[in-house]
């Protein structure tokens, strides 16, 4: 997609530009074209610069308390110039009770102190894509559950339970020494059950069993564009166990998210290159 | 090098003299278990290295403090920065703070006042009374100090580009109260270089701004010798994201530029140097901060003695105000800020500060409420009266870690200053954006470390709370803006406009001819010329700075 262009502006008389400069740099590092206006800009100057520079987004920063007057003035000026397609966002020392008022006045979003810069970058990316009518593929729902991981002390014992009572057969057994695990695959409809047996004392699965006992271990969700999703999640502050995709037991790219960020569940993302037969090959 | 016995005897003599002038706060100082605490502690074996690097309290190079008895004699000044809305409202807050035991005033001005615009200027839209009090004319200043005797308080004013105007108004109000200029005490910030670097309330280009500053130096050494003519500020440099080393280096580099400018203007270093004050940031890294203050004193003493040839002790003594770091306050879980502020303030006290502002917990969200402002002041009072850290001088002196850090900070900061000198000094380094770039790089690095969780901020990237409570916040009522505009309008109609015009003409001539502008500015405020009118007159002569 075409590079996103952003104008970072300091309206009014406020001279605190640490935030404006840090955001400018972070958005540049996220691949955007960023123009910074410098201090003491009027609404007219800001809108003129935005139109001339053909930006997608105006980011306003004020720490002086004048935001209630200055931010809406920029929105109004954009309307007068018929440039309402430019997205306006803002940040600074902005009390919570002013946020709703500003959003009503046409400021799309207010980011308060402590917001990770990556979150702002991905917000801009998604909003601009939506405004440009581009497909926002990352927001599509995943295709479904790929598999469910179950920690067991012995694959043989667990498999015999599933065979006796659910007539499920082991399709394959794989050892993944680098992850300290032996995995048995039991297809069940469109989903696979993965029985995970620890290889040795230091296996993460052994630690899981020591802590919580055997049982449900992780849920794997089938996605497309695994790398893009990871990048976006990382920027949004999601804690990842794997920042880069690695190869899973079945040879597909996979990555785990940290339970700290998922409200307690260990989630795995799986990308299946082979679309045939739901990928169970 | 003076030997230990002589130095010790000299300190003892100074202490004796000091005790005659001002007895210590108590006859004996004791710990909680009633053990005696001595005035100061020293290494068992004293050598020349000790004398050279630390010295005795109140003696060169002042590493351990600039007073011979330090806080045993007198606590620091508790000076809370306040100001919002109209002069009348701010006056009420000032009187409240004085009633609560605050010992000095500190005025926050709104941005139009700080950048030389009247409240009715188009540029002032939305900003009037927001970050401080709106002052347009002497009339506002009279309201601001109503029922506050300027002979009894010391007042710090955070004003830079129009510092001459506000100082002139302060002098005029004092005179009306019957207090002559030589009796007024306080500080104007008046540090324009850091405005270009970090804070942004500049008006004119650097050169004429430096001229205004040296005019104030000259005027005050003549008329108001007890007033601090400048507060050279690392605070905002640090807030903009610098490291502690950069804060030290850039502040002292700026200070050197002011000293040089004043000497070039023909002033004697020992005439103006005793009135130079400093303003530092009290940040999170506890020991580094304490070491920073100690290093600052030693560096300044060396610079004044060796580089500028100062002869008076007062010229070598770095006196400083500290404000704890506003940028470390979090909007998340604001109650935690009370704890941060207490620790930062403690580091400043262990570093020997002369005055201190402790932030209110809600300042990342809005201006402080009366409640949170009180807790902030109470924090200082607890440190002063409950913790016992004020019972002995420089309690951390001699710690291997603190002394090593003090040495390292000094070394690194001098390295920066050398680099700046090679560029031609601080004015040139500002113009070439060198310091701005260095600070920005440090700020961005810090943000990245935070986002990678290499640095932890409690409540922000770790230990986030489940639910956020909406705190009580202070909102500035905008109704007063209308009243402010109305008063300004009637003032313009009421005053003798011929006199105003005549004195503004005179000011223009003084600016063009390179005369001392301060005397004319005092005349101008007395006939109720406004901040905006005076600054516009100078804008027309000097032009405006754009970054």
């Amino acid at each position: 997609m075409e590079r996103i262009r952003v104008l970072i502006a300091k309206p009014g008389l406020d001279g605190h530009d640490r935030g404006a400069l840090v955001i400018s740099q972070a958005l540049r590092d996220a691949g955007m074209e960023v123009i910074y206006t410098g201090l003491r800009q009027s609404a007219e100057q800001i809108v003129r610069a935005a139109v001339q520079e053909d930006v997608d987004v105006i980011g306003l920063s004020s720490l002086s308390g004048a935001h209630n007057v200055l931010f809406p003035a920029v929105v109004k000026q954009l309307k007068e110039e018929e440039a309402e397609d430019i997205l306006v966002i803002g940040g600074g020392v902005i009390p919570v009770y002013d946020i709703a008022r500003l959003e009503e006045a046409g400021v799309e979003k207010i980011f308060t102190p402590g917001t990770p810069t990556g979150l702002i970058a991905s917000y801009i990316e998604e909003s601009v894509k939506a405004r440009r009518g581009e497909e926002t593929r990352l927001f599509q729902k995943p295709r479904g559950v790929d598999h469910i991981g179950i920690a067991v002390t012995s694959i043989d014992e667990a498999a015999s339970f599933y065979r006796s009572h659910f007539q499920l057969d082991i399709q394959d057994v794989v050892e993944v020494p680098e992850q300290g695990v032996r995995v048995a695959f039991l297809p069940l409809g469109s989903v696979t059950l993965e029985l995970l047996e620890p290889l040795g004392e230091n296996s993460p699965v052994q630690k899981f069993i020591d802590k919580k006992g055997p049982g449900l271990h992780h849920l794997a969700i089938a996605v497309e564009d695994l790398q893009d999703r990871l990048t976006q999640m990382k920027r949004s502050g999601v804690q990842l166990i794997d920042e880069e995709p690695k190869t899973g037991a079945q040879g597909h790219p996979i990555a785990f998210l940290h339970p700290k960020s998922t409200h307690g569940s260990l989630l795995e993302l799986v990308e299946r290159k082979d679309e045939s037969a739901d990928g169970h090959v | 090098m003076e030997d230990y016995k002589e130095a010790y005897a000299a300190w003892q003599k100074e202490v004796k003299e000091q005790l005659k002038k001002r007895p210590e706060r108590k006859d004996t100082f004791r710990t909680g278990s009633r053990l005696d605490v001595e005035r100061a502690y020293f290494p068992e074996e004293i050598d020349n290295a000790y004398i050279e690097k630390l010295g005795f309290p109140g003696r060169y190079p002042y590493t351990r403090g600039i007073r011979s008895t330090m806080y045993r004699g007198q606590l620091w000044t508790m000076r809370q920065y306040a100001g919002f809305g109209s002069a009348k409202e701010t006056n009420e807050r000032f009187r409240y703070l004085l009633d609560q035991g605050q010992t000095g005033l500190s005025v926050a001005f709104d941005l139009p006042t700080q950048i030389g615009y009247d409240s009715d200027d188009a540029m002032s839209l939305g900003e009037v009374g927001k970050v401080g009090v709106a002052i347009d004319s002497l009339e506002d200043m009279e309201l601001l100090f109503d029922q506050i005797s300027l002979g009894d308080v010391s007042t710090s004013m955070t004003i830079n580009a129009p510092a001459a105007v506000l100082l002139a108004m302060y002098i005029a109000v004092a005179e009306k109260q019957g207090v002559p200029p030589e009796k007024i005490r306080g500080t104007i910030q008046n540090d324009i270089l850091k405005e270009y670097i970090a804070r942004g309330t500049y008006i004119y280009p650097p050169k004429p701004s430096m001229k205004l500053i040296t005019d104030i130096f000259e005027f005050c050494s003549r008329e108001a010798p007890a007033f601090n003519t400048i507060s050279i500020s690392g605070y905002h440099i640090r807030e903009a994201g610098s490291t502690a080393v950069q804060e030290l280096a850039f502040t002292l580099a700026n200070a050197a530029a002011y000293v040089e400018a004043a000497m070039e203007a023909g002033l004697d270093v020992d005439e103006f140097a005793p009135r130079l004050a400093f303003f530092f940031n009290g940040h999170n890294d506890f020991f580094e901060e304490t070491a920073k203050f100690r290093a600052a004193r030693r560096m300044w003493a060396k610079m004044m003695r060796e580089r500028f040839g100062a002869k008076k002790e007062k010229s070598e003594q770095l006196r400083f105000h500290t404000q704890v770091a506003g940028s470390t306050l979090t909007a998340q879980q604001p109650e935690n800020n009370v704890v941060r502020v207490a620790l930062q303030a403690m580091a400043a006290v262990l570093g020997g500060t002369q005055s201190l502002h402790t932030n209110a917990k809600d300042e990342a969200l809005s201006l402080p409420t009366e409640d949170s402002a009180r807790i902030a002041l109470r924090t200082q009072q607890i440190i002063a009266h409950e913790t016992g850290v004020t019972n002995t001088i420089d309690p951390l002196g001699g710690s291997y870690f603190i002394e090593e850090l003090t040495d390292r900070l000094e070394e690194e900061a001098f390295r920066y200053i050398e680099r700046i000198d090679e560029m031609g000094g601080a004015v040139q380094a500002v113009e070439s954006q060198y310091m701005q770039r260095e600070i920005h790089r440090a700020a961005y690095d810090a943000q990245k470390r935070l986002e990678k969780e290499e640095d932890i901020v409690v409540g922000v990237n770790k230990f986030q709370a489940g639910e956020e409570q909406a705190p009580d916040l202070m909102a500035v009522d905008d109704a007063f803006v209308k009243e402010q505009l109305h008063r300004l309008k009637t003032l313009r109609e009421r005053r003798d406009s011929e006199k105003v015009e005549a004195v503004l003409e005179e000011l223009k001539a003084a600016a063009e001819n390179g005369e001392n502008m301060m005397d004319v500015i005092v005349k101008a405020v007395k006939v109720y010329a406004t901040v905006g009118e005076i600054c516009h007159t100078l804008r027309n002569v000097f032009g405006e700075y754009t970054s």
Side-chain angles (χ1 to χ4, degrees):
Chain A
M1 91 186 226
E2 205 186 310
R3 280 243 262 186
I4 295 174
R5 296 172 65 81
V6 184
L7 183 79
I8 298 292
K10 289 286 300 176
L13 301 179
D14 176 37
H16 297 90
D17 59 359
R18 174 180 183 169
L21 289 168
V22 164
I23 295 288
S24 299
Q25 185 75 45
L27 297 182
R28 268 180 214 125
D29 285 359
M32 300 178 199
E33 200 77 56
V34 181
I35 302 118
Y36 172 51
T37 60
L39 304 180
R40 294 189 210 165
Q41 301 293 306
S42 67
E44 291 76 17
Q45 287 172 312
I46 291 168
V47 169
R48 200 181 313 136
V51 170
Q52 267 170 15
E53 295 286 349
D54 190 24
V55 300
D56 302 287
V57 181
I58 298 175
L60 299 171
S61 159
S62 172
L63 285 75
S64 71
H67 48 267
N68 285 334
V69 174
L70 299 175
F71 289 8
V74 171
V75 175
K76 192 167 154 250
Q77 187 67 23
L78 277 173
K79 276 196 190 119
E80 276 171 25
E81 298 290 322
E82 294 177 355
E84 296 121 293
D85 58 319
I86 298 176
L87 179 81
V88 180
I89 59 176
V93 178
I94 296 177
V96 278
Y97 49 74
D98 284 343
I99 292 177
R101 202 199 307 188
L102 289 171
E103 290 179 351
E104 245 166 62
V107 179
E108 195 73 21
K109 177 102 180 148
I110 295 292
F111 294 99
T112 49
T115 309
T117 55
L119 192 72
I120 298 169
S122 43
Y123 177 86
I124 291 175
E125 265 176 30
E126 293 315 317
S127 306
V128 170
K129 273 188 194 169
R131 289 202 165 205
R132 286 178 179 176
E134 287 174 23
E135 195 185 356
T136 53
R137 197 166 166 195
L138 297 190
F139 281 164
Q140 283 176 0
K141 280 184 199 158
R143 287 193 297 152
V145 173
D146 181 272
H147 65 262
I148 296 164
I150 300 167
V152 299
T153 44
S154 152
I155 283 181
D156 291 344
E157 287 169 24
S160 100
F161 165 82
Y162 286 102
R163 194 181 311 111
S164 321
H165 302 287
F166 293 103
Q167 301 76 44
L168 297 181
D169 289 318
I170 293 181
Q171 188 185 48
D172 198 5
V173 179
V174 181
E175 275 193 18
V176 191
E178 58 269 26
Q179 288 172 45
V181 70
R182 222 173 120 225
V183 191
F185 302 100
L186 287 73
L188 169 57
S190 65
V191 180
T192 306
L193 299 185
E194 281 188 13
L195 303 182
L196 312 165
E197 181 190 292
L199 286 176
E201 286 300 301
N202 288 326
S203 155
V205 175
Q206 183 62 50
K207 285 183 185 150
F208 178 90
I209 292 173
D210 291 346
K211 219 163 136 189
K212 300 191 173 163
L216 288 178
H217 179 265
H218 71 265
L219 182 71
I221 297 171
V223 298
E224 293 160 25
D225 294 338
L226 175 61
Q227 178 68 71
D228 288 348
R229 261 183 201 275
L230 290 178
T231 310
Q232 192 197 326
M233 282 195 216
K234 189 178 164 218
R235 278 208 210 123
S236 317
V238 176
Q239 210 177 325
L240 306 177
I241 294 175
D242 306 303
E243 296 197 350
E244 299 292 326
K246 61 183 185 188
T247 306
Q250 297 190 79
H252 304 292
I254 62 129
F256 282 95
L257 314 183
H258 201 287
K260 266 193 201 166
S261 290
T262 63
H263 303 270
S265 311
L266 180 59
L267 294 185
E268 179 185 349
L269 303 184
V270 185
E271 178 176 310
R272 294 205 180 255
K273 295 285 181 209
D274 185 355
E275 296 285 321
S276 65
D278 284 325
H280 300 293
V281 191
Chain B
M1 187 63 51
E2 128 186 266
D3 89 358
Y4 165 65
K5 274 188 189 152
E6 281 170 32
Y8 182 78
W11 173 58
Q12 287 293 350
K13 197 168 149 245
E14 270 169 39
V15 168
K16 231 182 200 170
E17 279 164 19
Q18 176 66 23
L19 292 181
K20 262 186 249 161
K21 275 189 281 179
R22 182 193 287 276
E24 291 185 340
R25 290 180 293 117
K26 295 178 200 168
D27 291 337
T28 49
F29 289 83
R30 292 206 172 106
T31 67
S33 22
R34 316 316 291 158
L35 303 177
D36 281 342
V37 176
E38 287 179 35
R39 187 167 290 121
Y41 292 83
F42 307 101
E44 279 175 21
E45 283 184 39
I46 301 260
D47 51 18
N48 281 341
Y50 173 80
I51 303 288
E52 190 185 334
K53 277 188 161 180
L54 300 176
F56 289 91
R59 294 178 54 76
Y60 191 88
Y62 306 100
T63 311
R64 308 198 67 180
I66 58 164
R67 307 263 180 259
S68 55
T69 61
M70 282 306 286
Y71 301 138
R72 282 164 71 106
Q74 187 182 12
L75 295 169
W76 61 91
T77 304
M78 300 182 188
R79 198 192 290 282
Q80 301 293 91
Y81 187 47
F84 54 92
S86 68
K88 193 164 160 286
E89 284 172 281
T90 303
N91 174 266
E92 281 163 18
R93 177 69 72 95
F94 280 170
R95 285 194 280 143
Y96 171 80
L97 288 167
L98 290 171
D99 283 348
Q100 294 296 311
Q102 177 168 312
T103 48
L105 295 177
S106 177
V107 191
F109 295 100
D110 72 356
L111 285 169
T113 306
Q114 292 190 50
I115 306 176
Y117 294 113
D118 287 333
S119 297
D120 58 358
D121 197 295
M123 289 295 286
S124 304
L125 182 71
E127 307 274 14
V128 176
K130 276 291 188 299
V131 300
V133 58
I135 300 291
D136 291 319
S137 73
L138 182 59
E139 186 182 67
D140 296 325
M141 204 71 162
E142 288 161 4
L143 288 171
L144 184 64
F145 293 107
D146 184 39
Q147 299 174 60
I148 298 171
S149 167
L150 299 192
D152 297 327
V153 290
S154 79
T155 304
S156 163
M157 294 188 272
T158 300
I159 194 74
N160 293 279
V165 185
L166 276 297
L167 173 60
M169 286 181 178
Y170 193 79
I171 289 170
V173 174
E175 278 181 0
K176 285 199 168 186
Q177 291 184 357
V179 179
E182 64 265 26
K183 285 274 163 62
I184 58 166
R185 288 176 305 121
T187 308
I188 40 174
Q189 198 162 73
N190 199 23
D191 171 13
I192 200 67
L193 290 174
K194 65 92 176 54
E195 295 296 329
Y196 305 117
I197 297 169
R199 191 167 172 274
T201 69
Y202 42 74
I203 304 177
Y204 326 108
K207 227 175 147 194
S209 296
M210 294 296 279
K211 169 69 168 64
L212 264 168
I213 289 168
T214 52
D215 282 2
I216 293 172
F217 286 5
E218 194 274 323
F219 175 91
C220 284
S221 66
R222 173 160 43 90
E223 305 284 337
F227 211 85
N228 295 312
T229 49
I230 193 167
S231 171
I232 306 156
S233 306
Y235 180 81
H236 316 89
I237 290 172
R238 191 66 179 281
E239 287 294 285
S242 84
T243 63
V245 166
Q246 290 169 342
E247 179 191 354
L248 257 185
F250 297 166
T251 307
L252 294 181
N254 290 347
Y258 296 124
V259 172
E260 273 165 4
M263 290 170 80
E264 270 167 35
L267 300 179
D268 176 62
V269 66
D270 286 314
E271 277 292 305
F272 67 85
R275 301 321 305 166
L276 306 179
F278 287 80
F279 174 20
F280 289 110
N281 195 302
H283 215 273
N284 279 339
D285 191 312
F286 191 86
F287 292 109
E288 183 173 73
E289 290 302 295
T290 297
K292 176 186 78 184
F293 302 123
R294 300 172 87 250
R297 273 193 298 271
R298 186 159 75 201
M299 291 173 74
W300 184 241
K302 285 185 190 169
M303 286 167 75
M304 289 311 288
R305 184 177 280 195
E306 291 164 17
R307 178 166 172 182
F308 297 115
K311 298 279 185 296
K312 278 193 195 166
E313 283 191 354
K314 292 256 180 240
S315 304
E316 299 168 346
Q317 295 172 347
L318 180 142
R319 294 171 298 127
F320 69 101
H321 172 69
T322 306
Q323 178 171 345
V324 297
S327 58
T328 64
L329 299 177
T330 63
Q332 296 78 8
Q333 305 175 36
E335 305 289 320
N336 297 345
N337 293 327
V338 175
V339 182
R340 289 191 180 97
V341 166
L343 292 166
Q344 294 162 348
M346 182 65 110
V349 168
L350 291 172
T353 195
Q354 273 61 58
S355 71
L356 180 60
H357 167 105
T358 33
N359 293 329
K361 64 181 180 179
D362 44 6
E363 286 181 52
L365 302 160
S366 70
L367 285 175
T369 62
E370 203 158 274
D371 270 351
S372 67
R374 191 185 58 248
I375 295 172
L377 175 61
R378 293 287 181 259
T379 306
Q380 295 199 34
Q381 291 164 335
I382 289 168
I383 294 174
H385 300 288
E386 296 185 11
T387 64
V389 297
T390 53
N391 291 347
T392 188
I393 299 167
D394 187 31
L396 294 182
S399 142
Y400 297 122
F401 182 43
I402 279 287
E403 297 305 346
E404 172 69 18
L405 266 181
T406 306
D407 291 353
R408 291 279 296 139
L409 287 168
E410 174 180 356
E411 199 181 300
E412 295 287 324
F414 268 135
R415 195 166 299 158
Y416 256 123
I417 291 174
E418 250 171 59
R419 214 171 306 154
I420 291 165
D421 285 340
E422 280 163 20
M423 291 174 196
V427 176
Q428 280 73 16
V430 164
E431 282 173 341
S432 69
Q433 307 270 323
Y434 168 72
M435 298 193 221
Q436 293 93 316
R437 276 199 309 272
E438 287 290 300
I439 295 167
H440 172 56
R441 208 173 56 193
Y444 193 53
D445 283 350
Q447 179 68 21
K448 281 200 289 196
R449 283 200 306 275
L450 185 71
E451 294 189 5
K452 282 188 199 149
E453 292 182 33
E454 287 168 20
D455 290 350
I456 300 298
V457 179
V458 172
V460 174
N461 65 354
K462 216 175 170 114
F463 314 115
Q464 297 95 330
E467 57 192 88
E468 293 284 333
Q469 280 186 335
D472 269 348
L473 294 177
M474 158 96 188
V476 177
D477 186 357
D478 284 347
F480 89 92
V481 176
K482 239 172 129 184
E483 198 197 309
Q484 181 75 15
L485 296 178
H486 176 74
R487 281 201 306 108
L488 181 56
K489 191 162 167 271
T490 50
L491 174 88
R492 287 199 217 273
E493 288 161 5
R494 212 176 51 227
R495 66 184 183 179
D496 188 337
S497 51
E498 271 177 33
K499 270 192 193 161
V500 173
E501 274 165 38
V503 75
L504 291 178
E505 271 305 310
E506 200 184 324
L507 176 61
K508 183 167 172 262
E512 284 168 347
N513 301 332
E515 292 159 26
N516 191 320
M517 291 170 271
M518 191 59 206
D519 298 279
V520 195
I521 290 173
V522 173
K523 269 167 88 176
V525 302
K526 285 182 179 170
V527 297
Y528 292 90
T530 64
V531 173
E533 288 159 352
I534 294 170
C535 292
H536 280 312
T537 302
L538 297 180
R539 270 190 184 98
N540 288 336
V541 179
F542 298 139
E544 281 188 78
Y545 177 83
T546 48
S547 62

